[in-house]
Amino acid sequence: MLLNGLSRLEYRGYDSAGIALHESDGIRRVRAVGPLANLRSALGRDLSPASSGLGHTRWATHGGVTEANAHPLGGCVDGELTLVLNGIVENHGPLRAELAADGHRFRSETDAEVVAHLVERCYSGGLAAAVREASGVLEGHYAFVVMHRDHPAQLVATRHACPLVVGLGEDEVFVASNPAAFAGETRLVQFPEDGDIVTLTLGRAEAVGPDGAPAERERVLLDWDEESAGKGEHDTFMLKEIHEQPESFAATVRGAAAELDSAGLDGIGLADVRRVMILSAGTSYHAGLVVRHALEEWAGLEVTVDIASEWLYRRGRIDPETLVIGISQSGETRDTLSALQLARDAGARVVAVTNTADSQITREADAVLLTRAGLEVSVAASKTFTAQLALLFLLAIRFAEARGAIEPARAAELRAEIEALPAKIRHFLAHDHPIDEIAARHFDRPFFLFLGRHAGLPVALEGALKLKEVAYAPSDAYAAGEMKHGPIALLDEGTPVVVVATDSHVYGK
């Protein structure tokens, strides 16, 4: 089961993996550098029954790619305590020095081992109490899960500014950074909040807040089924999700009607908004760049789009006439959440756009707009990107109507165009294109340049991002008019240049 969960996430390209099993005679840990196949080989076939276990895949953010640094890591006594950690502990250096002065011996360079030693030092018989005490001195963004030799059917988890989800099954319980890891096992989940200490036993998950008081978290039934959790007839999750775009786009358009008329959005007072600030990251940032053109041209609004992690240091103008739109597929993107919290504190009204109901971002917003893309397993977003565009275009039309900036006939025309897009996407995907031929001709080129104008520029940015994420190919994207101001120096007669040239008012250029 653990290997299957890790397999669902392997497409992300991690450099090492590990498993810890609580067997009858203690905790067995197996780690391997490289792909998951190496871990399978290291495990072998002679496995004892286990009551609980941990599995983790890792990028080497602390310490090199070595077996010693591969997760999961042990605590101070072999086989006594082990944990897995997602995120970065920023004060691991001084904590390591403090623990070493107390006699703790470290076998790796990872921040995860520092946390393991810290929990071990705090442990005096109660694992949840030890995790709570240890997490109180950690700085950074992290989520971790601990298993102890003396508690064979128990895991303890906590989070701060990193995603964590609990899955509730029949006489079994799961915890992961992403529900895709236990897809097919259960759809009933809980989302712990920052600072929660969650104790997981057979079929039960009990949480206490940072103050130690019991914390009841809502049970949510995720909107996906067994079929959506698999690859179906496709070779990869990304291909599957590319072909799901007609359905996810159409479902988002259908669902948007009620949300755009919701009390939350009405309470914001769209007609009174004078400027819009869009804060997001990665693919969601590119979606914001696209919709900026629609908000400016259709609604006559002043619009800025910022990378959330950069805006945190800059902080543009915020006042009650500013509407902040935060876009996050997962609803747990830490930089975006932090930016929205700051914006609300400064008096802005906030709208959240997410694919995950009941995620953290929904608790930071005055109104929530949901994309209906379903489970997206691939880290390289496809259907959630186009679903975001569908929702944001409809929001732009609603803005234009509220401000009296658009004629009813034009608004109806735009909505009809949006509603027609699923059929056009389906038509495109059903026909042959020279994609394989182009890939075969250019796959080994050392550099790719993407160019675009107007709304084509963020699509070019997204294309360059996809090539980096999926093919590990060096690529860059520029506004086409900027190509001659520097990037041309990187080009030769063999450099592939991808140009987004739609039939629009910039096509002549």
Side-chain angles (χ1 to χ4, degrees):
M1 187 176 286
L2 288 167
L3 286 170
N4 287 340
L6 296 179
S7 295
R8 293 189 184 101
L9 305 179
E10 189 179 16
Y11 61 88
R12 299 181 178 191
Y14 294 110
D15 53 41
S16 56
I19 274 183
L21 299 172
H22 203 303
E23 299 176 339
S24 56
D25 56 350
I27 296 175
R28 178 186 178 189
R29 294 174 298 134
V30 181
R31 299 167 292 186
V33 173
L36 198 57
N38 294 353
L39 179 61
R40 290 182 186 273
S41 297
L43 275 167
R45 297 185 179 275
D46 184 23
L47 296 176
S48 302
S51 56
S52 58
L54 299 174
H56 196 51
T57 51
R58 155 181 203 264
W59 280 118
T61 56
H62 291 74
V65 187
T66 66
E67 186 170 337
N69 285 330
H71 284 303
L73 293 163
C76 298
V77 181
D78 276 349
E80 179 177 327
L81 179 151
T82 191
L83 63 77
V84 292
L85 179 140
N86 184 28
I88 294 175
V89 175
E90 293 174 356
N91 62 336
H92 72 98
L95 285 173
R96 178 185 292 267
E98 177 186 321
L99 288 160
D102 286 346
H104 293 256
R105 298 176 60 189
F106 292 90
R107 300 178 178 180
S108 76
E109 302 169 295
T110 68
D111 54 347
E113 190 185 8
V114 172
V115 179
H117 281 259
L118 187 62
V119 173
E120 193 273 342
R121 185 176 72 176
C122 297
Y123 179 76
S124 59
L127 190 55
V131 169
R132 183 180 168 210
E133 183 181 345
S135 60
V137 300
L138 299 178
E139 298 172 8
H141 57 279
Y142 56 82
F144 64 89
V145 189
V146 183
M147 182 167 61
H148 196 282
R149 179 187 59 195
D150 297 338
H151 304 272
Q154 183 185 92
L155 301 175
V156 177
T158 189
R159 59 162 281 178
H160 176 73
C162 261
L164 191 73
V165 59
V166 173
L168 302 172
E170 294 267 343
D171 297 323
E172 58 186 356
V173 65
F174 307 86
V175 61
S177 59
N178 186 317
F182 51 74
E185 304 294 343
T186 183
R187 293 191 296 137
L188 186 63
V189 303
Q190 291 175 307
F191 293 97
E193 296 186 6
D194 279 357
D196 279 0
I197 308 297
V198 187
T199 300
L200 304 109
T201 54
L202 291 177
R204 293 176 59 84
E206 298 177 342
V208 298
D211 59 356
E216 285 292 329
R217 302 305 175 206
E218 183 182 0
R219 296 184 173 201
V220 179
L221 191 65
L222 294 178
D223 185 22
W224 43 261
D225 53 26
E226 184 101 27
E227 183 179 349
S228 67
K231 289 183 284 192
E233 62 185 20
H234 300 281
D235 292 335
T236 65
F237 280 108
M238 188 174 179
L239 268 178
K240 172 177 176 279
E241 289 158 11
I242 285 171
H243 283 83
E244 287 175 344
Q245 287 179 103
E247 290 72 30
S248 61
F249 195 104
T252 298
V253 170
R254 289 193 301 270
E259 286 173 0
L260 291 172
D261 291 328
S262 68
L265 200 58
D266 281 347
I268 285 173
L270 298 184
D272 300 327
V273 173
R274 292 292 171 265
R275 65 191 61 84
V276 172
M277 181 178 296
I278 300 174
L279 300 173
S280 47
T283 290
S284 296
Y285 169 68
H286 298 154
L289 289 173
V290 174
V291 82
R292 174 176 64 185
H293 296 288
L295 286 166
E296 290 174 341
E297 294 172 21
W298 301 346
L301 283 162
E302 176 188 337
V303 183
T304 58
V305 185
D306 257 310
I307 297 170
S309 59
E310 285 297 306
W311 184 82
L312 286 169
Y313 304 109
R314 189 176 63 79
R315 300 193 203 176
R317 177 182 175 185
I318 291 284
D319 57 35
E321 293 185 326
T322 302
L323 177 71
V324 174
I325 301 174
I327 311 172
S328 169
Q329 183 274 128
S330 68
E332 300 284 348
T333 310
R334 174 43 46 184
D335 294 327
T336 304
L337 287 169
S338 297
L340 294 190
Q341 290 163 352
L342 277 175
R344 288 195 77 182
D345 291 345
R349 290 162 284 183
V350 172
V351 172
V353 175
T354 182
N355 194 50
T356 311
D358 301 294
S359 56
Q360 185 68 28
I361 199 172
T362 65
R363 295 186 280 275
E364 303 294 340
D366 299 294
V368 177
L369 300 176
L370 292 173
T371 53
R372 263 73 174 187
L375 180 67
E376 186 171 66
V377 178
S378 175
V379 74
S382 54
K383 62 178 181 175
T384 53
F385 175 61
T386 47
Q388 286 170 352
L389 293 180
L391 191 55
L392 291 165
F393 282 143
L394 290 170
L395 177 61
I397 296 170
R398 179 68 190 278
F399 253 118
E401 291 174 325
R403 293 169 55 79
I406 194 171
E407 294 293 330
R410 175 60 175 154
E413 179 186 4
L414 289 170
R415 283 197 178 92
E417 287 286 346
I418 292 168
E419 291 167 1
L421 279 170
K424 295 179 179 180
I425 299 170
R426 190 175 292 108
H427 180 269
F428 175 86
L429 292 172
H431 287 73
D432 290 332
H433 303 281
I435 292 170
D436 289 348
E437 173 196 336
I438 292 168
R441 195 161 69 245
H442 297 295
F443 76 94
D444 57 351
R445 301 293 182 178
F447 174 71
F448 295 77
L449 182 65
F450 288 70
L451 299 173
R453 290 179 188 266
H454 194 253
L457 172 58
V459 176
L461 289 165
E462 180 66 6
L465 175 63
K466 287 291 176 284
L467 205 59
K468 294 182 185 85
E469 286 182 307
V470 178
Y472 299 169
S475 56
D476 206 351
Y478 265 83
E482 286 289 287
M483 187 269 290
K484 57 187 177 290
H485 298 295
I488 193 171
L490 296 175
L491 305 184
D492 61 30
E493 66 275 11
T495 304
V497 180
V498 183
V499 181
V500 180
T502 58
D503 185 9
S504 66
H505 62 290
V506 297
Y507 183 78
K509 282 288 186 181

